[in-house]
Amino acid sequence: MSGFTYDVIIIGGGVAGCAVARELARYRARIALLERAEDVCSGASKANSGIVHAGFDAAPGTAKARFNLLGNRQMGALARELDFEFARCGSLVLCLDEADRPRLEALAARGRQNGVPGLEILPGDEVRRREPMVSERCVAALWAPTGGIVCPFGLTIALAENACDNGVTFLPLTEVTAIARMEGGYCVETGRGALTARCVVNAARVYADVLHNQVSARRLHITPRKGDYCLLDKTAGGHVRSTIFQLPGAAGKGVLVTPTVHGNLLLGPTATDQTDRENTATTAAELDFLQRRAAEGVRALPLRAVITAFSGLRAHEDGGDFVLGSPGDAPGFFDAAGIESPGLTSAPAIGRWLAERVAAYLGAPPRADWQPRRRGILRAASLPEEERRALIARQPAYGAIVCRCEQISEGEILDAIARTPGARSLDGLKRRVRQGMGRCQGGFCTPRAMELLAQARGVPPEEVCKNGPGSRMIAGEEGAQ
């Protein structure tokens, strides 16, 4: 088997792929993660609600129900191990019409069957005592105390960094173009040449069905489901304290209003099925619909505080459930496909489950030197004043503020660049330290961030990109003086 490039190739650097990588790093194996973008967390994992779902929505007996509950239980300990933002703020599912009360009660019964603890149906008056901005139309709500919020960038990048620290090789800008069976394993064709492995983990998001169908007769079909969001300034962050859902429908959990772990307010998502696997453009009509739906459950939304809008694509498989493990007719090929909501919550549990099966297939023993902890990027502005002064005295870069909105210093930006896998673009910085995510959306801090990126990477400023090749921030006519 020594003729293989790797023992395991993981395709896709979203939260599921990075969770598998982190868990597989527990074992003695040569592991590589391939990502077609220039960074991890560049697809659905960067454009979602950041919700840690309690687990009441998925049908009992499904993979979604099982892994949602397991992932929710793991999230607190994982946040402490990997040093990312997470809070159990609880969630409320609003019933806005007495005629819908049976649906609310059925949702509660489903959650209890799934094993979700602490579920309770509250009358409308009690809901408004807890959340004064909830609509007067609310007649009752399902309260789930184990619901929470997480930074999706923080979670995904923390998983990737810990995997890398434990020996996983990350290959960005490596798009998989084809995959084929070979004796004892698989040949993975990429835009940078062919790689071989005994095992493949398919976590390729909206393209997972394309790769799966190249090696298995058990066909999958994924529909890209676009969701639009509005992010509001931190001045609106206290509008609600918990995640506020409305009763779910056929297209998903519906529009929510939630605080974020960074103090903003988030509205979304919509749910629009499409054929284009690359279209993440927002539209005025969809954003208007989103805001109107959000206002049905939460009143007086401060929509003038919207600082940005964005959208992401969820990978909806026709079966409506996660597709996990080997299809049976492709030994050594393991799917992590159809990872839509509650995929973010479920990812840590999916990663562990799949890693155990891949390791068993390989006969890979556990590593005695596996390191489960990861140190996050120091947030200088969050330190007590005395500690911050001492830090700046030792390392003056932490006293040079680049991003005024988020109070991000040069020290934090340089740390984000130096890590592996580290920031190589402005979006990479944004996802690691929130430079450019504040009220001005990078209007003031971008030039200095570009200078720091160029200097740290040893490239000219005109080579600095927003998010990879083809997105240079400085443009001009060739040969211009």
Side-chain angles (χ1 to χ4, degrees):
M1 298 299 179
S2 59
F4 288 97
T5 318
Y6 297 100
D7 295 309
V8 188
I9 286 176
I10 302 164
I11 303 172
V15 67
C18 290
V20 174
R22 192 250 181 175
E23 292 295 329
L24 267 175
R26 296 174 182 263
Y27 301 94
R28 295 203 174 279
R30 296 166 302 158
I31 306 160
L33 184 146
L34 315 186
E35 168 55 49
R36 68 173 186 150
E38 54 89 29
D39 199 2
V40 299
C41 199
S42 293
S45 298
K46 72 172 174 59
N48 61 66
S49 309
I51 302 301
V52 176
H53 292 283
F56 48 73
D57 185 58
T62 61
K64 286 184 177 181
R66 176 187 177 188
F67 287 99
N68 186 157
L69 193 65
L70 290 172
N72 181 291
R73 289 172 177 169
Q74 292 177 18
M75 199 64 70
L78 190 65
R80 290 188 292 273
E81 283 186 346
L82 299 183
D83 196 13
F84 60 83
E85 296 93 342
F86 165 64
R88 287 201 189 276
C89 59
S91 62
L92 287 162
V93 183
L94 307 185
C95 176
L96 302 178
D97 190 321
E98 193 65 44
D100 287 330
R101 187 182 288 268
R103 292 175 56 213
L104 188 72
E105 293 172 346
L107 192 64
R110 172 181 287 189
R112 294 185 184 107
Q113 187 175 348
N114 286 343
V116 180
L119 294 177
E120 184 181 1
I121 292 182
L122 305 177
D125 289 345
E126 173 62 21
V127 175
R128 282 180 288 275
R129 276 194 291 271
R130 291 175 181 239
E131 293 284 358
M133 304 313 294
V134 162
S135 169
E136 291 293 333
R137 292 178 53 204
C138 176
V139 297
L142 175 62
W143 166 245
T146 58
I149 51 177
V150 69
C151 174
F153 323 127
L155 168 58
T156 306
I157 291 168
L159 291 165
E161 287 186 1
N162 186 244
C164 193
D165 289 344
N166 281 289
V168 176
T169 299
F170 281 74
L171 299 175
L173 298 175
T174 306
E175 182 173 7
V176 174
T177 57
I179 181 169
R181 298 271 300 272
M182 60 182 292
E183 185 178 353
Y186 293 85
C187 179
V188 179
E189 297 285 350
T190 80
R192 300 170 65 178
L195 301 170
T196 58
R198 294 171 61 192
C199 287
V200 168
V201 176
N202 172 27
R205 305 187 286 270
V206 294
Y207 290 96
D209 58 339
V210 176
L211 299 183
H212 169 101
N213 292 340
Q214 291 180 16
V215 300
S216 174
R218 300 184 179 184
R219 316 303 280 178
L220 297 182
H221 179 258
I222 285 174
T223 299
R225 179 168 287 172
K226 186 163 76 77
D228 287 26
Y229 293 88
C230 287
L231 183 71
L232 280 67
D233 185 61
K234 291 182 178 181
T235 56
H239 201 73
V240 296
R241 292 174 295 177
S242 303
T243 301
I244 310 297
F245 296 99
Q246 297 176 31
L247 274 170
K253 298 176 179 67
V255 170
L256 59 84
V257 178
T258 186
T260 73
V261 291
H262 298 114
N264 299 86
L265 191 72
L266 184 68
L267 317 180
T270 55
T272 306
D273 287 352
Q274 56 184 37
T275 57
D276 188 345
R277 300 182 193 233
E278 299 294 331
N279 178 24
T280 57
T282 57
T283 69
E286 288 173 322
L287 294 175
D288 179 65
F289 170 80
L290 163 63
Q291 293 177 3
R292 285 187 285 107
R293 283 299 307 273
E296 291 176 9
V298 177
R299 61 187 180 84
L301 286 169
L303 296 176
R304 293 185 67 180
V306 171
I307 57 175
T308 192
F310 61 92
S311 72
L313 299 178
R314 288 106 82 183
H316 178 73
E317 209 284 319
D318 287 355
D321 199 4
F322 300 150
V323 180
L324 303 173
S326 177
D329 61 347
F333 185 89
F334 296 85
D335 282 309
I339 308 297
E340 59 181 346
S341 182
L344 187 73
T345 310
S346 305
I350 289 172
R352 182 169 299 179
W353 186 88
L354 277 173
E356 288 172 351
R357 279 146 186 79
V358 173
Y361 179 86
L362 291 171
R367 289 176 49 186
D369 59 346
W370 182 70
Q371 296 295 326
R373 296 194 174 274
R374 167 258 191 189
R375 176 188 60 83
I377 293 173
L378 177 65
R379 310 294 182 184
S382 67
L383 295 175
E385 185 61 28
E386 187 175 334
E387 290 184 29
R388 188 176 183 183
R389 288 178 183 274
L391 172 66
I392 294 169
R394 297 191 308 271
Q395 301 182 61
Y398 284 95
I401 298 300
V402 176
C403 175
R404 285 179 275 176
C405 297
E406 296 290 325
Q407 287 293 290
I408 305 302
S409 69
E410 289 187 3
E412 288 148 270
I413 288 174
L414 293 172
D415 187 356
I417 298 168
R419 287 169 175 250
T420 307
R424 299 177 59 81
S425 66
L426 287 173
D427 279 0
L429 285 179
K430 179 186 292 188
R431 289 192 284 271
R432 285 167 176 79
V433 296
R434 294 183 59 78
Q435 175 269 317
M437 275 198 174
R439 183 178 300 178
C440 82
Q441 290 290 288
F444 289 99
C445 56
T446 294
R448 181 56 181 153
M450 291 175 62
E451 290 176 357
L452 291 170
L453 265 170
Q455 292 166 10
R457 293 186 54 209
V459 300
E462 56 268 24
E463 289 190 17
V464 173
C465 294
K466 181 181 185 297
N467 55 21
S471 64
R472 289 186 177 185
M473 297 295 294
I474 298 175
E477 293 184 10
E478 187 174 353
Q481 300 296 317

